[in-house]
Amino acid sequence: MIPLGGLGEVGRNMTVFEFGGKLLIVDVGVLFPDTDQPGVDLILPDFSPIRDRLDDVLGIVLTHGHEDHIGAVPYLLRLRKDIPLLGSALTLALVEAKLKEHRIQPYTLTVKEGQKEDLGPFALEFVAVNHSIPDALAVSISTPAGRVLHTGDFKMDQLPLDGRLTDLRAFARLGEEGVDLFLCDSTNADVPGFTPLERSIGPVLEQVIAKAPRRVIVASFSSHVHRVQQVLDAAAAHGRKVALIGRSMVRNMGIAEQLGYLRVPTGVLIDAKKAADLPDDRIVYMSTGSQGEPMAVLARMANLEHQIEIGQGDTVILASSLIPGNENAVYRVINGLTKLGANVVHKGNAKVHVSGHAAAGELLYCYNILKPKNAMPVHGEIRHLVANAKLAQDSGIPETNTIVGENGIVVDLRDGVARVVGQLDLGYVYVDGSSVGEISDADLKDRRILSEEGFISIFAVVDTQTGRIVAGPHLHARGFAEDDAVFDDVIPKVRKALLEAAENGTHDIHALSQVVRRTVGRWVNTQHRRRPMIVPVVIEG
């Protein structure tokens, strides 16, 4: 078993299982970029360990329809289009819509809880779990080497909106039969107690919408069907119409309604273009952008770059939790909206969201019900994985049987014993526009320098034999200083340095370029305490 993503991070979930030379993959998700990765759209798992073995892949099991579990499927299927996809009806519908944009027609097998399927040496059994998206599944994977239970993302809401509970009876039966390795969602492992009920959010949303004097904008994940359902119901109860904003929100909710997962009250949903004709106190916008993504609807509203202009008396509800690493971006959007006069309601000042992940108390129940021989926490940053491992040990699993690893760890399961046998060196694969994997960490470093320190270019034409400057040096800067006159002092230094280099026998254009770079760099660092990107261009004249 090799996790290619999802360990030490919240996202990029992907785990590869191998038996008898055949491979099974569980989830192929994306990670969203951090602020120190400018220009990057998505981050993919590193497929390099399986790139030359794609013909051995028997199938991809998708536990649920969130981007951090399905978002990278198109990029893997580009390498081999006919890998079968297994998942629930909603999960596969969301994946198929995504693949359609990439012009890929997938091979799919719809499965549901209680169903068993054999893929080569892998005997699969699917178990219902409750999460913040309908139709989530855990998967039991059995081979002659033992049984692995992978939860995917889950919680144990005892009064779920759709009535679909995490099937603890199936967990107990699997535990009786014997679970050799338990791969368990760790996202809330460091949160004590139990995750609050999803249905506790409905009355709060209804109360906020009832009191709102003007327009209401609710931001959530574009796949959070339960939250959209609650917003539709609250709007209907107070005579408001709902308009969906954002391409992914419109697409996903259309799929959810078509499959029967979203019940739209008659006449409540309207086209966004017609919403502007309604009185301000009769409309609710349901949008994307709850994580502060710069190109999502809510951030564009905060920056006055959207046709919906936020104003005094508008109410904005952020109905989602913060993904670790997104805090600054979200608070930037909150501040922007507040400055425009909006009343911003979020998890910090009202109960408008509950997590989709099991807290420590729920995880302990699972460990006690399953009594697995070995545990390996997945899906979480390192603090989450360590907290989950501690819960496993508290429930009686020996420390020697608890594995806390990072992406690329190689774990062998044999005769009920799991042990670490290797570690692969994996990297990040960046999606930047239409390019995949062409952006390196060095490129990102250059981008960070450009964004923080600025850019200076120096152009000069030099007689390489005499060192005499035929033209220039001409110096141009961006993001460094408003007036290029600040460089008047350094131009004589560049002339002098080039002349001295020629007198000392330096006639190579590249070497002269480095002389210019060092001269300007030393001056900028000494005089301005800055380290901009310096691009010298020296031409032989």
Side-chain angles (χ1 to χ4, degrees):
M1 185 195 77
I2 307 173
L4 300 185
L7 299 190
E9 59 197 4
V10 178
R12 273 206 320 167
N13 296 285
M14 180 176 181
T15 309
V16 179
F17 298 87
E18 178 176 4
F19 186 88
K22 297 299 180 183
L23 304 179
L24 175 74
I25 298 172
V26 174
D27 290 332
V28 191
V30 296
L31 178 69
F32 293 102
D34 209 340
T35 52
D36 64 347
Q37 294 158 328
V40 173
D41 299 317
L42 299 170
I43 305 172
L44 308 181
D46 188 346
F47 299 145
S48 57
I50 62 169
R51 189 178 290 270
D52 296 330
R53 300 192 55 197
L54 292 174
D55 288 340
D56 296 329
V57 178
L58 300 177
I60 299 171
V61 173
L62 301 171
T63 58
H64 65 283
H66 280 152
E67 286 294 303
D68 58 336
H69 292 258
I70 67 169
V73 169
Y75 300 95
L76 184 57
L77 291 194
R78 281 184 187 179
L79 304 177
R80 182 190 150 197
K81 290 185 171 61
D82 62 346
I83 301 176
L85 306 178
L86 290 80
S88 64
L90 179 60
T91 302
L92 291 181
L94 294 174
V95 172
E96 286 167 353
K98 184 180 295 293
L99 289 169
K100 191 174 183 180
E101 295 178 0
H102 290 259
R103 298 177 182 175
I104 296 174
Q105 180 68 43
Y107 292 82
T108 59
L109 174 63
T110 303
V111 296
K112 57 185 179 181
E113 54 264 31
Q115 189 168 334
K116 297 181 180 181
E117 293 290 339
D118 289 337
L119 288 182
F122 302 102
L124 309 178
E125 180 178 347
F126 298 93
V127 181
V129 290
N130 178 249
H131 186 40
S132 54
I133 188 172
D135 246 8
L137 294 167
V139 59
S140 165
I141 305 167
S142 297
T143 72
R147 169 182 276 148
V148 177
L149 179 61
H150 193 312
T151 64
D153 289 356
F154 83 110
K155 61 178 176 176
M156 287 161 52
D157 192 329
Q158 297 304 296
L159 297 170
L161 294 176
D162 58 3
R164 190 172 178 272
L165 295 157
T166 292
D167 192 349
L168 296 181
R169 292 183 300 174
F171 274 33
R173 175 178 53 78
L174 291 170
E176 288 291 330
E177 295 171 5
V179 173
D180 297 298
L181 179 60
F182 186 38
L183 305 183
C184 182
D185 177 10
S186 305
T187 310
N188 275 353
D190 59 347
V191 178
F194 296 78
T195 302
L197 301 178
E198 195 78 42
R199 66 171 54 190
S200 65
I201 303 303
V204 180
L205 288 173
E206 196 166 321
Q207 187 179 24
V208 173
I209 289 173
K211 291 181 178 179
R214 293 188 68 222
R215 298 174 298 180
V216 177
I217 298 94
V218 185
S220 182
F221 295 115
S222 63
S223 56
H224 203 329
V225 178
H226 294 150
R227 191 70 70 246
V228 175
Q229 183 70 66
Q230 290 172 318
V231 170
L232 288 171
D233 293 342
H238 295 282
R240 288 181 182 250
K241 305 290 186 183
V242 177
L244 302 179
I245 307 291
R247 191 166 58 95
S248 59
M249 179 69 75
V250 173
R251 181 191 67 196
N252 291 350
M253 290 310 117
I255 292 169
E257 182 183 10
Q258 186 179 349
L259 294 176
Y261 295 98
L262 185 70
R263 302 178 311 279
V264 179
T266 304
V268 166
L269 207 57
I270 63 168
D271 188 274
K273 293 175 183 176
K274 298 179 180 178
D277 299 332
L278 293 174
D280 286 346
D281 61 350
R282 285 288 169 262
I283 184 66
V284 175
Y285 292 103
M286 187 77 219
S287 83
T288 57
S290 61
Q291 296 301 308
E293 306 97 310
M295 295 308 294
V297 170
L298 201 63
R300 284 158 51 208
M301 288 181 186
N303 295 329
L304 297 177
E305 296 170 353
H306 196 273
Q307 63 264 31
I308 300 172
E309 296 185 359
I310 300 295
Q312 198 73 35
D314 286 338
T315 300
V316 179
I317 305 172
L318 272 70
S320 68
S321 58
L322 292 181
I323 294 176
N326 290 355
E327 293 89 351
N328 289 341
V330 172
Y331 289 127
R332 191 158 47 243
V333 169
I334 290 174
N335 287 331
L337 294 168
T338 304
K339 189 175 181 180
L340 293 172
N343 172 33
V344 184
V345 181
H346 54 89
K347 194 180 178 183
N349 59 21
K351 194 173 182 181
V352 290
H353 181 72
V354 296
S355 176
H357 302 270
E362 294 153 86
L363 297 180
L364 278 173
Y365 267 112
C366 287
Y367 283 117
N368 287 328
I369 289 169
L370 286 165
K371 293 293 182 189
K373 294 178 183 176
N374 305 272
M376 181 173 171
V378 294
H379 194 290
E381 296 183 351
I382 186 65
R383 69 181 188 275
H384 304 131
L385 305 180
V386 170
N388 198 349
K390 178 68 166 55
L391 294 173
Q393 291 160 22
D394 289 345
S395 72
I397 299 174
E399 186 176 351
T400 53
N401 293 23
T402 309
I403 299 170
V404 176
E406 57 186 47
N407 294 330
I409 190 172
V410 183
V411 178
D412 268 6
L413 179 64
R414 184 190 296 268
D415 299 327
V417 178
R419 48 195 191 92
V420 179
V421 296
Q423 175 69 52
L424 303 182
D425 184 19
L426 300 180
Y428 288 108
V429 178
Y430 301 109
V431 178
D432 185 355
S434 60
S435 72
V436 178
E438 295 174 18
I439 301 298
S440 67
D441 288 330
D443 296 323
L444 292 181
K445 183 180 178 183
D446 287 345
R447 290 181 180 184
R448 287 194 295 272
I449 291 171
L450 284 168
S451 66
E452 295 165 6
E453 300 288 347
F455 170 89
I456 298 173
S457 65
I458 314 101
F459 173 82
V461 181
V462 179
D463 183 332
T464 55
Q465 297 305 313
T466 65
R468 186 176 64 87
I469 297 177
V470 179
H474 300 293
L475 198 146
H476 301 280
R478 289 290 182 271
F480 182 85
E482 192 171 316
D483 187 354
D484 284 353
V486 298
F487 299 109
D488 289 348
D489 292 344
V490 76
I491 289 175
K493 295 179 186 291
V494 173
R495 286 200 184 101
K496 182 180 178 184
L498 286 171
L499 189 61
E500 288 177 352
E503 289 174 351
N504 293 330
T506 302
H507 304 298
D508 177 67
I509 288 296
H510 176 72
L512 292 173
S513 295
Q514 295 309 306
V515 168
V516 174
R517 183 197 299 275
R518 283 194 299 271
T519 304
V520 175
R522 194 178 302 117
W523 177 83
V524 168
N525 189 26
T526 303
Q527 297 298 317
H528 295 273
R529 294 289 187 267
R530 297 276 295 278
R531 293 181 179 273
M533 178 176 288
I534 299 170
V535 179
V537 180
V538 177
I539 296 174
E540 186 173 358

